[in-house]
Amino acid sequence: MRAIQYLTWALVALAAALAVTAIVLAVDNPEISGTTRGDSYPCLAPWDTVLNDADNYPGGEPPTDGDDIEARCEAAGRERFGYAVGFGVGAVVLVGSAVAVTWVEDRRPGG
């Protein structure tokens, strides 16, 4: 029985780590390099790019590579958001596994 409890807590801890990683990936602004705006240009947050269809065109004086910056930022945001969704799904699966392990253990004779 003790091993099942350790397994359950390990699954929950791993799920929490995956969930935190998913949140960080979704809200942390990706950066692209090699633009007229500097070597490390920050894009909008991935969740904003994907869910709100945010415009990543640089503000201020229009740069000569503005369309390229916008396209690269959108691609970076979509890729990072895809990873965030994957980590989030993994967290949900692990929580479901922890619940299933606990449920099966509680219904086992002598459990």
Side-chain angles (χ1 to χ4, degrees), residues 1-96:
M1 173 130 159
R2 201 96 157 126
I4 295 296
Q5 289 175 336
Y6 288 136
L7 174 63
T8 301
W9 282 111
L11 289 171
V12 169
L14 187 55
L18 289 178
V20 168
T21 303
I23 291 169
V24 168
L25 286 171
V27 300
D28 186 41
N29 297 26
E31 294 183 352
I32 58 172
S33 60
T35 69
T36 58
R37 294 291 172 122
D39 211 20
S40 140
Y41 179 78
C43 303
L44 296 176
W47 69 268
D48 199 19
T49 298
V50 174
L51 299 179
N52 295 331
D53 199 26
D55 183 13
N56 275 286
Y57 196 87
E61 184 69 29
T64 56
D65 61 345
D67 291 333
D68 182 52
I69 291 173
E70 180 180 28
R72 289 174 57 202
C73 279
E74 184 169 330
R78 289 192 181 283
E79 179 181 23
R80 188 171 286 186
F81 192 77
Y83 289 135
V85 168
F87 276 91
V89 168
V92 170
V93 167
L94 288 176
V95 167

Side-chain angles (χ1 to χ4, degrees), residues 104-111:
V104 167
E105 180 63 18
D106 285 349
R107 272 135 191 83
R108 202 181 79 185

